[in-house]
Amino acid sequence: MKLRAALMVVALAAAPTAQHFRFARPLTGTAKTGQTCLVLDAQTFAHAAPELADVRLDRGGAETPYVIRAATPQEQPQQEIAPLNLGHKGAHTTFEAAMPAGRYSDIDLDITAKDFIATVAVTGAQDESGREGTELGLFTIFDLTGQKLGRSMVLHLPQSDLRYLYFSIEGPVKPDDVHGLTIARLPERQTQYVTVAQTTQFQQDGRSTTVQFTVPAHVPADRIVFVPGATPANFSRGVTVKVTAVPKRPPASEDEMPQPATAEGNLLRVHEVRDGHKIDDEHLTVDAPLSGFGDADTWTIAVDNGDDPPVTWQSVRLEMTGRRLCFDAAAGAAYTLFYGDPALAAPRYDYATLFTPENDAAQASLGPEQANPLYNPRPDTRPFTERHPGLLWAALVLVIVVLGVVALRTAKQGTPTSGGS
C-alpha cells in the first residue's frame, strides 16, 4: 500500500487509501539514521482498530515497515537457594548462600517465624572464604500480621553480582525458622508503563473508599497505582477490583449481562521505628484483572478500611505496559502515523520477523493527534440486506400482512350463504 505525503496541520494531496484513515500523528525526533523507537499512548489504542491492526507508518507517501513490542524486559525465573552453614553465632542466627551468576537485587527470605521484628546484616564476597567481604547493609524484616500491618521478608539489596552472601539475624528468629531465600536476576532494563487514566475523586461507601474509571475499548490496563497522602502514616488495606464491560446495547436478559473480571490485592505502608528497628516498607500497586478489552470497560476499585479511618489518597491511576513501535529511520525524513481504518488487517513485514532490538536505538515521540482533514469513509460493500436490515424486516411483515389479507378474502369467498332452498 502506498500513502501520499504526510497529513500535517495543512492538508496535502492524499492517495485514495490515505483518506480512509480517521487520524494522523506526526513524529518528532527522527533526525538520526537507524533504528528508532517511540512509545504508543492510550489515545492511539482507543482510536485504532483492535490490537493496532490498522496502524501504518508513512514516509513521503510510502509505507514504512515497523514492529510493535511490549516495553518489558525478559522475565527472569525466580531461583530458590538453600541456606548453608545455618546456625548460631552468639545471640545471632547466621547462614550463608551461594548466589548464581548474574546481577540481582531484592532477596526474599523464607522465614516461618510469626509476630516479630528483626534486623538482618548482609555482607558479600566473590569467593567462599569471605575474607574481603563487602557490607551490603542492615535490613529490617517483620511479621506484624497480628497488628494488621502485614509481613515483609524482602531485603532490598543494592544491585550486586557477589557470588557468596553472609547473613546475620538479630532478633527472635531461630535457625529452625530459616528455610532459604528466593531471588530473581535483574533484567537489562526495567518495565516501562504508560498512564491510561487517573483520578483524584474518591467516594466513601460505608467502610470502603471507592473510585471508578471508564476505559475506552481496545485500551489495555496492566496495573493500578495508588498514591497515598500523609495520613494515616501506616496502613494495610485490602483492595478489590471489578471490571465490567459496557454493553453496546441493553441485554435482553440477565443471562446476557457481561460477567465482570475481578482481582484482589493489598496496599501496605509502614514507616516507623519499633524496639530500635527502623521499618520502611511500601506496596502500593495491584495487578489488573484479565480482561478482553473488546468493549469499553467500567473499573470499580474499592479499598476496604475495616474499622480504621480512610486513607487520604492523593490519586489512583491505571497504567498499561508500554508498547514501543520501532522502525529504521532515514535522517531528516518526515514520518506520520496513521490509524482509524477498521477495515484493514494487521500488516506483515519481514522487518518485524527479522527485528533485533538495539540498546542505543534513537527515541522518537508522537505529536498531537489530528483528525484527517481529507477523511472519507470507505464505501460500504456489504449486501443491501445487511446494510438495511430494517427494510428486510419491514418487507417480511408486509408480505405476511398481504398473505393474511388474501387468505381472509379467499375464506370469505368460499363460504356458502345460508337460507337457500
Side-chain angles (χ1 to χ4, degrees), residues 262-328:
T262 60
E264 295 181 351
N266 182 261
L267 305 174
L268 175 72
R269 180 173 70 181
V270 182
H271 295 297
E272 64 179 10
V273 177
R274 289 197 180 189
D275 301 328
H277 298 278
K278 185 178 180 181
I279 301 175
D280 290 296
D281 195 38
E282 288 188 353
H283 182 73
L284 299 172
T285 63
V286 175
D287 290 337
L290 295 177
S291 176
F293 307 109
D295 299 320
D297 292 321
T298 297
W299 291 62
T300 302
I301 302 168
V303 179
D304 183 8
N305 299 307
D307 295 322
D308 296 306
V311 177
T312 55
W313 300 106
Q314 292 184 359
S315 65
V316 177
R317 66 180 181 270
L318 300 182
E319 294 183 339
M320 69 176 178
T321 303
R323 273 74 168 178
R324 288 159 50 92
L325 183 148
C326 297
F327 63 100
D328 281 344

Side-chain angles (χ1 to χ4, degrees), residues 35 67 69 349-357:
Q35 190 175 113
V67 63
R69 289 194 168 187
Y349 302 124
D350 288 341
Y351 180 83
T353 304
L354 304 174
F355 178 76
T356 301

